[in-house]
Amino acid sequence: MVRERARRRALAQIGTSIGEAAFDQTEDIGACILDVQRRLDGVLEDRGGAFSQSAGELVKGWVASLEHLQGEGGAGIKTPFHRLNTLVTGLVPGEVFVIAGRPGCGKTALALNLLFHAAEQGHGAGVFSMEMQALLLMNRLCAAGGGHASQGGGLVNAQRFRDGRFSESDWKAIYDFAQRAQRLPLHFADKPSIRPSELRQQVRRWCRQGVRVVAVDYLQLIAPEQRGGSRERELAEASRLLKTTAVECGVSVIVLSQLNREAEKTKRPLLSHLRESGAIEQDADIIVFIVPWKSKGQDAQGQNVRVELDVAKGRNNTVGSFHLVYRKRFLRFENEPFRPKAESVSRDD
C-alpha cells in the first residue's frame, strides 16, 4: 500500500513538472523530455531515487555474469571478422564502438556488414543514417549479399543499383536477399539533421522491440539541440549522450566518425585526428581506424583492396591491427585468406 501511494505521488509530481516546463520558455524541451522519461522509468521499475548497491548485493549477480560469459565464449555479439573478435570479443552492450576514417574509405560499408551479421544471428539491429535514404542502405546491403560470411556468391555489383542494368543472376540474388531481409530484426531511421534527444528516444523505442546493436552514420552530421554554441561543444554533447544511451539501454552503439586531413599526411591515423571533437576519444570504449590505403594495395583489376584496420583504443580489450579484404564492387569486407606468417600485431597496454 505504501509503495502504491508513493508511485501515485511520484506520477503527480512528474505531471506537475511537465506542466510547468511546457509554459517556461527558458526550458529546453528536449532535455525536459529526457528527464521525464528517466523519472517515469524510475517509477515503473519501482526504484525511486536509489541507484547504489552494496558489494553483497552485487557479487551474486557478478559471479553469475562471469559463468554466463564463459558459457558464451566471451562478451558481446560476434562480428564476421575473426581477428576483430580476437581483439575486442565482439559488440558489447553498453559500449561505444567508433569506426573512423577519411571519406570514401568504407566506413558505412563496414558498419552495415557488422549490423547485418548481427541481425542474421538473431540480434535486433538499427541504423541511423543522416546522409543516405533507407532504400540506398538496402541497395548497399544487397550488393554485399547481406554481409553473409559463408556466402561466396549471390553478390550484386553496386553500380547496377545506379544504372539499372540487372542481369538474370542479379535479379535472383535480389529476390533471395529480399526474402532473407524481410525476416530479419533490422530497423532503419534516415531522418537528416536528427538531434541527440530524438536519437535517444528512437533507441529507447527500438530497445523495447529487442534491438541490441545500433549504428550512427555519422557523428558529425548530428544536429545540435540548440544553435549558437561552438561546434566542438555540440559534438561533445552528442558524443556523451550516445555513451549514456548505450549504458542505460544496454545496447552496443557503433558510431562512424570522420578524420581530419592531417590523417593523410601521416603513415597511420592518430586519436588526435578525430574530427572536430576530442570528446569522441574520451567517450568511446573502442576506436577502430580504417588506415588510408593507396592504389598499390589493389588487385590487378583494381576491385579488391587489402585494408588495414587499427584498433587504436580499447578501454576493456586488447588493441592491435589486422587486415581485411575490401571488395569495392560489392561494398563488402571479408576476412583475409589465411597466410602462414601472420602480419597482424597486438599491442597490450
Side-chain angles (χ1 to χ4, degrees):
M1 186 185 299
V2 171
R3 182 181 293 110
E4 180 187 352
R5 296 295 188 274
R7 296 177 73 183
R8 289 180 181 274
R9 186 168 60 253
L11 284 175
Q13 292 171 348
I14 292 172
T16 301
S17 65
I18 292 175
E20 293 173 350
F23 292 98
D24 186 351
Q25 299 297 321
T26 63
E27 283 279 354
D28 176 35
I29 193 65
C32 177
I33 291 173
L34 291 177
D35 182 60
V36 169
Q37 289 179 333
R38 179 186 59 79
R39 293 169 65 183
L40 283 173
D41 285 343
V43 175
L44 291 173
E45 297 175 16
D46 204 17
R47 294 181 304 181
F51 53 85
S52 65
Q53 299 180 71
S54 67
E57 295 171 329
L58 186 62
V59 71
K60 186 176 181 180
W62 170 63
V63 172
S65 69
L66 295 180
E67 292 172 348
H68 177 74
L69 181 65
Q70 183 180 22
E72 292 291 320
I77 298 170
K78 301 306 177 188
T79 77
F81 310 120
H82 310 315
R83 188 66 179 127
L84 184 59
N85 289 333
T86 300
L87 292 173
V88 306
T89 72
L91 304 173
V92 178
E95 290 191 349
V96 173
F97 186 106
V98 173
I99 299 174
R102 291 291 294 152
C105 69
K107 297 187 298 297
T108 301
L110 181 59
L112 290 178
N113 286 179
L114 295 174
L115 278 186
F116 204 93
H117 184 77
E120 287 197 317
Q121 296 179 73
H123 305 296
V127 56
F128 292 93
S129 178
M130 278 72 82
E131 64 174 356
M132 290 188 196
Q133 295 179 338
L135 290 178
L136 296 180
L137 296 177
M138 191 62 72
N139 289 347
R140 283 172 159 260
L141 285 171
C142 184
H148 200 294
S150 64
Q151 288 192 353
L155 307 181
V156 182
N157 191 326
Q159 181 64 24
R160 298 293 175 264
F161 293 99
R162 291 190 65 86
D163 59 33
R165 296 185 299 174
F166 298 112
S167 64
E168 290 186 11
S169 62
D170 289 338
W171 279 115
K172 182 179 184 305
I174 291 171
Y175 289 133
D176 289 345
F177 171 78
Q179 290 181 352
R180 290 164 51 207
Q182 66 183 352
R183 296 191 296 268
L184 294 177
L186 267 176
H187 304 265
F188 300 87
D190 56 1
K191 180 181 178 180
S193 301
I194 190 170
R195 293 182 296 137
S197 58
E198 295 174 314
L199 190 149
R200 183 176 187 173
Q201 292 166 20
Q202 184 60 59
V203 171
R204 295 169 72 94
R205 295 189 193 101
W206 279 347
C207 286
R208 291 193 288 270
Q209 300 173 39
V211 168
R212 294 185 58 196
V213 185
V214 173
V216 178
D217 184 14
Y218 54 92
L219 179 65
Q220 283 77 16
L221 289 180
I222 296 179
E225 289 290 346
Q226 291 183 322
R227 299 285 182 180
S230 69
R231 184 57 181 155
E232 183 175 352
R233 182 175 180 179
E234 292 170 354
L235 284 179
E237 292 175 352
S239 174
R240 189 58 191 163
L241 185 137
L242 289 173
K243 175 57 181 176
T244 57
T245 300
V247 174
E248 292 178 6
C249 297
V251 297
S252 176
V253 178
I254 301 171
V255 181
L256 276 58
S257 177
Q258 295 278 16
L259 295 175
N260 58 38
R261 289 189 176 90
E262 293 298 318
E264 296 180 348
K265 300 178 182 179
T266 59
K267 292 184 177 180
R268 59 191 318 106
L270 303 174
L271 293 174
S272 59
H273 293 154
L274 288 165
R275 187 176 170 186
E276 293 183 308
S277 177
I280 308 171
E281 177 185 349
Q282 299 174 18
D283 296 330
D285 297 278
I286 298 170
I287 297 178
V288 176
F289 291 129
I290 301 179
V291 179
W293 38 267
K294 298 180 181 179
S295 58
K296 65 179 181 181
Q298 300 179 5
D299 62 9
Q301 290 75 35
Q303 300 299 337
N304 297 335
V305 183
R306 186 169 181 257
V307 177
E308 181 182 359
L309 266 63
D310 182 17
V311 182
K313 177 186 176 182
R315 182 166 286 153
N316 303 302
N317 58 270
T318 305
V319 296
S321 62
F322 61 98
H323 288 90
L324 294 175
V325 175
Y326 182 32
R327 301 181 67 182
K328 295 169 60 180
R329 285 185 302 173
F330 309 115
L331 305 173
R332 173 187 173 102
F333 284 86
E334 296 179 351
N335 289 299
E336 191 177 34
F338 174 76
R339 297 172 182 268
K341 293 183 179 180
E343 297 186 24
S344 59
V345 179
S346 294
R347 303 189 304 274
D348 288 323
D349 284 344

